[in-house]
Amino acid sequence: MSSSAVEAPAAVPPPAVPERRAVPAAVFWTVLVLGAVAGAWYVKQVVGDMGSLMHLKDLGVYQIAGQRIVDGVSVYDTPLLGNTRGVWEFVYTPFAALLFVPLAKLHGDLFTSVGAIGDFVALAVAVWAALSMLGYRRDLRLVVFSLPLSALLMWCEPIRETMAFGQVNILLMTLVLVDMALPDSFRGKGVLTGIAAGIKLTPLFFLVYLLFTRRYRAAAVSAGSFVATIAIGFAVMPHDSKTFWSGAFADPTRVGVPENPQNESLRGMFARSIGLDGGKQLLWVALAAVIALACLLLARKLSFGRQELLAVTLCGLATTAVSPYTWVHHWVWWGALLVYLLHASLRRKAVLAWLGLLVAAVVTSGGVLMLFGSKRSSVLDFPSWNHLGVVYHNAYIWLTLALFAAVAVRLRKLTSASPR
């Protein structure tokens, strides 16, 4: 990251409303043109290969969960598709199942349109929130700019896969980013983060982040919002709520075996590389705890130094890395990092920021390599060569650790250079 990519941390939290600026004209028009081309090409590919690029399998499973609620059938007692444990089981909260009920009424082209357009709209809102956190003026220009930038991000593999599966990952990221973009003085700050955690538990990490950054009211609001989602679940689905909260939420067999090649978490890397038997399981837990704590400490310094987007993005990446089971499409927070690095690269002498943007874009790209004749969609898909697969098959983990190290080094340098 460049010397200007991370600002010096402050001793106290920054003012609630930072000075805002417009998106530079050159950047606006460049992204507009590139985004239009990228978006058009993406749509062309989807129309030509709907079965692979917009199959919406997970959205279809959510639809089944919604239909079960309508029919009064449990979403946890049996898999939603087939009869194999760990395959197509419902792993979200009862509250999430209630949110999927409207899907039961959607079919055919309407179902496909809602899945595709809904994810893109959520992505555009997430990009807008990220840019807002970077201090850009919240005007029509920023709304327009968010659309082509989102089109470019559709070539990021986790975002590409989320849209193909019709997953909820972009929505969860959007809820958190919009919440964190709200001024700390806003009494409702924390509600959206609590709702995100009420859908899938991993966003609870952001509640801890709010505590670490001394935003106690927002943390309390978030906790209250989360508890409200649990109460709603018990009120409408008492049997399923008892099943989920009495242990189903912590049952790893409902997701699959940890050594699955698609498990792009730290635990997955351990399982495939050295195994998880005996003390190795404890080693994974200890390392995951260290990463989580290091992230929170870095994020606090970044937040106090008016680097809120980078702080929140680090937390998003950390939750994905330390989660027991992480599919590729869970890593949508790379999209937020790419937005931040693009912003950082616009400053003078931002050579390292440009390098970081290039590396992150290449490692997380999806479908781009195929435009140059490759049969592989991303670096994760290449077969292992001379035992180097442990590097690029776990590229997201290594890139996350490299990002944390770069931020830590830069913050240390800035702290040392600050007048005492």
Side-chain angles (χ1 to χ4, degrees):
M1 303 181 74
S2 74
S3 59
S4 59
V6 179
E7 298 175 1
V12 295
V17 183
E19 181 182 351
R20 297 196 172 274
R21 57 196 174 280
V23 176
V27 176
F28 178 87
W29 290 108
T30 300
V31 170
L32 186 65
V33 172
L34 293 177
V37 173
W41 195 261
Y42 177 83
V43 171
K44 179 178 182 296
Q45 285 191 334
V46 169
V47 172
D49 191 8
M50 188 74 72
S52 297
L53 297 178
M54 199 58 65
H55 50 77
L56 301 178
K57 288 183 178 179
D58 283 8
L59 191 65
V61 173
Y62 301 158
Q63 184 184 51
I64 294 174
Q67 187 61 54
R68 283 196 180 188
I69 300 301
V70 173
D71 297 337
V73 180
S74 172
V75 297
Y76 298 113
D77 290 349
T78 60
L80 297 182
L81 283 176
N83 300 292
T84 304
R85 286 300 311 276
V87 180
W88 299 119
E89 293 204 55
F90 193 71
V91 296
Y92 300 111
T93 66
F95 176 74
L98 292 174
L99 296 182
F100 297 145
V101 168
L103 293 175
K105 302 298 182 181
L106 303 180
H107 301 283
D109 292 340
L110 180 59
F111 178 79
T112 302
S113 298
V114 168
I117 297 175
D119 259 337
F120 181 76
V121 170
L123 178 60
V125 174
V127 170
W128 177 89
L131 293 168
S132 176
M133 293 168 72
L134 289 171
Y136 291 103
R137 193 173 300 142
R138 296 171 177 173
D139 53 13
L140 181 59
R141 185 189 188 93
L142 191 66
V143 174
V144 174
F145 183 71
S146 300
L147 298 176
L149 189 51
S150 298
L152 287 170
L153 290 180
M154 289 192 298
W155 293 86
C156 175
E157 182 68 3
I159 291 175
R160 186 181 180 90
E161 284 204 8
T162 291
M163 296 192 70
F165 280 93
Q167 259 280 347
V168 297
N169 310 299
I170 294 175
L171 174 62
L172 297 179
M173 179 177 68
T174 301
L175 290 173
V176 172
L177 283 175
V178 171
D179 208 5
M180 297 302 168
L182 294 170
D184 292 341
S185 59
F186 181 63
R187 292 185 177 276
K189 182 162 185 167
V191 170
L192 296 180
T193 298
I195 291 175
I199 297 172
K200 185 177 180 180
L201 299 182
T202 48
L204 281 174
F205 191 77
F206 292 98
L207 191 158
V208 182
Y209 165 70
L210 289 172
L211 291 174
F212 260 68
T213 51
R214 307 176 194 170
R215 286 173 278 193
Y216 302 119
R217 183 177 64 189
V221 171
S222 181
S225 177
F226 173 64
V227 171
T229 66
I230 298 176
I232 292 172
F234 269 101
V236 182
M237 305 165 58
H239 169 74
D240 275 348
S241 292
K242 183 179 179 180
T243 299
F244 183 81
W245 294 110
S246 64
F249 73 92
D251 182 2
T253 62
R254 299 185 69 87
V255 183
V257 294
E259 61 269 20
N260 188 322
Q262 298 298 315
N263 182 9
E264 292 295 332
S265 69
L266 183 67
R267 182 168 179 255
M269 184 174 73
F270 265 62
R272 291 187 297 270
S273 303
I274 62 175
L276 288 170
D277 55 302
K280 296 172 184 176
Q281 178 88 349
L282 295 178
L283 178 61
W284 161 66
V285 173
L287 184 55
V290 168
I291 292 174
L293 179 59
C295 170
L296 289 169
L297 294 174
L298 290 172
R300 180 171 62 183
K301 289 185 177 182
L302 289 168
S303 180
F304 290 175
R306 288 192 175 184
Q307 295 290 298
E308 187 70 7
L309 177 60
L310 184 56
V312 173
T313 299
L314 257 60
C315 290
L317 293 174
T319 60
T320 312
V322 304
S323 176
Y325 211 101
T326 299
W327 298 96
V328 172
H329 49 72
H330 291 165
W331 286 94
V332 292
W333 284 97
W334 288 125
L337 180 68
L338 291 172
V339 172
Y340 172 80
L341 289 174
L342 174 62
H343 161 77
S345 67
L346 299 179
R347 299 175 180 176
R348 292 183 179 180
K349 299 180 181 179
V351 176
L352 292 182
W354 272 109
L355 179 61
L357 177 60
L358 177 62
V359 171
V362 170
V363 172
T364 65
S365 68
V368 177
L369 297 176
M370 301 178 75
L371 299 178
F372 297 93
S374 174
K375 295 182 180 179
R376 314 292 178 180
S377 178
S378 75
V379 296
L380 302 177
D381 297 332
F382 282 88
S384 184
W385 178 77
N386 203 23
H387 304 293
L388 291 177
V390 68
V391 177
Y392 49 83
H393 288 165
N394 303 290
Y396 293 174
I397 296 293
W398 297 119
L399 188 58
T400 298
L401 296 178
L403 173 65
F404 283 18
V407 171
V409 170
R410 187 59 200 155
L411 286 174
R412 184 179 180 83
K413 288 182 178 179
L414 291 172
T415 302
S416 300
S418 298
R420 298 182 182 275

